[in-house]
Amino acid sequence: MRIGELSKDTGIPVPTIKYYLREGLLPAGERTHANQVSYTAEHARRLRLIRAMVQVGDLPIGTVRTMLAEIDSAERPTDSMLGRLSGALVAPRSHGPHADEDEVAETAALLRRHGYTRTDSVHVQMIADVLAMLRRLGRPELAAIVDDYADLALRMAETDLATLTALEDRDNLAESMIIGSVLGEALFAALRRAAHATVSGRVFPEDKFDTSPPS
Amino acid sequence: MRIGELSKDTGIPVPTIKYYLREGLLPAGERTHANQVSYTAEHARRLRLIRAMVQVGDLPIGTVRTMLAEIDSAERPTDSMLGRLSGALVAPRSHGPHADEDEVAETAALLRRHGYTRTDSVHVQMIADVLAMLRRLGRPELAAIVDDYADLALRMAETDLATLTALEDRDNLAESMIIGSVLGEALFAALRRAAHATVSGRVFPEDKFDTSPPS
């Protein structure tokens, strides 16, 4: 198909498609005549994937490029690939005051108690950083939530991996991992907010604080 | 204290503090002499909160301003306040192809089956959008994960609200909600990645696909 059809098929404007071509996110089409380039269903598929990563995952173009390279090079999806993908998803953002060595070691020990086995990663540093920030905000009681969250995250990871291993289409396992990771995160964030609305309706009925003395 | 001390106390550079003052995120200090302005521990506390929202929550300044206004005006934290805060946290981002009316209605029905009671919100539209995107990516089997996620999100919201209602410091309930929401999301995202590393180590041992024929 020509670029106009590709645009119609995917709902992505032609200038955006050209931008992705220039950035190397989308392979060039096949030149069939002097002034005509032809694209395939594979191009449409790749475009929808790019769109999901950019729009829903809010990922920068550089990260999208890294992930697509992983997909294209992956013959055998392995543990280490999942690790690389997950690493690429972590925005290199400063989390402000960093946890010190003791705080990171304590966090790793806490995770091991909850059944985590890989406790030397960048993620553990991030967890320790957030906990340190809660303490520095004078809110150690909010940091206590980490115990429940650690169990919930492990159950969620088991659900994610069970879904991946049940897929019949093993050729696209790397793509499935990325889609699952990016869209799964957006899905869960929206669900969590809907759940907050439900639970807060139970916990804070509208006039609950009406009878309290003014503070 | 003077602005230099405030900077030293919080680890935030003086130009950044001045920027927050200009943007109205931080109340002005008290002018004690012609060329001297004095700040209090309240300023330091507010600065740490702004830093957490900007650095960890990655929130734009406009959103931070909205949330601080909620904190400052909140005498009685109510259900509707939690709703407004949660609404402010949702980035007004296009999620691409939108779910149609039937898809939104189906999503609302699914949530009600899982015990959700508020199913007419912007969050439900977002959930329906992500599910529609998974179907349009040709991955309906990944969308099936929504059932497990819906239960996990509800359990997480119960944990969050239980933590909030257990707080003794009711004066700062609005602030606690925001800190819990912003830092809690960052905490859970990092835990989820650490959990993926643990579970994928079990599920994808390094040579699992070695014996498969090349695809």
Side-chain angles (χ1 to χ4, degrees), chain A residues 22-103:
Chain A
R22 282 198 307 275
E23 288 290 324
L25 301 188
L26 191 68
E30 195 192 346
R31 187 164 294 275
T32 51
H33 293 86
N35 60 354
Q36 196 170 320
V37 180
S38 174
Y39 298 90
T40 65
E42 268 306 302
H43 285 96
R45 176 194 176 94
R46 174 57 53 100
L47 268 180
R48 288 196 193 91
L49 177 62
I50 296 169
R51 202 60 158 178
M53 293 166 82
V54 170
Q55 283 199 333
V56 180
D58 212 15
L59 298 179
I61 292 294
T63 305
V64 174
R65 191 185 290 114
T66 305
M67 298 208 149
L68 293 176
E70 283 287 346
I71 289 178
D72 292 336
S73 71
E75 291 175 34
R76 299 173 296 123
T78 60
D79 178 24
S80 63
M81 189 183 77
L82 192 67
R84 283 198 305 279
L85 292 178
S86 181
L89 273 171
V90 178
R93 188 198 304 161
S94 159
H95 271 198
H98 282 289
D100 62 32
E101 259 179 60
D102 285 350
E103 288 171 316

Side-chain angles (χ1 to χ4, degrees), chain B residues 66-183:
Chain B
T66 305
M67 299 208 148
L68 294 175
E70 284 287 346
I71 291 178
D72 292 337
S73 71
E75 290 175 34
R76 300 172 296 122
T78 61
D79 178 23
S80 62
M81 189 182 78
L82 191 67
R84 283 198 305 280
L85 292 177
S86 180
L89 272 172
V90 178
R93 187 197 305 162
S94 158
H95 271 198
H98 282 289
D100 62 32
E101 260 181 57
D102 285 350
E103 288 171 317
V104 174
E106 259 171 51
T107 300
L110 180 148
L111 291 178
R112 280 193 296 272
R113 283 199 298 278
H114 284 274
Y116 289 65
T117 51
R118 310 287 174 89
T119 56
D120 55 353
S121 68
V122 61
H123 312 305
V124 178
Q125 175 73 50
M126 282 173 64
I127 296 162
D129 285 349
V130 175
L131 295 177
M133 192 169 263
L134 283 170
R135 280 189 292 266
R136 276 157 217 172
L137 283 165
R139 299 309 183 91
E141 73 277 22
L142 291 179
I145 213 166
V146 70
D147 283 301
D148 281 332
Y149 275 20
D151 291 337
L152 284 170
L154 209 50
R155 276 198 40 198
M156 194 167 172
E158 280 158 5
T159 296
D160 291 342
L161 273 289
T163 301
L164 281 179
T165 50
L167 291 178
E168 308 227 330
D169 179 8
R170 302 222 147 250
D171 285 358
N172 295 309
L173 199 53
E175 193 180 296
S176 299
M177 276 183 186
I178 289 175
I179 293 175
S181 183
V182 172
L183 296 198

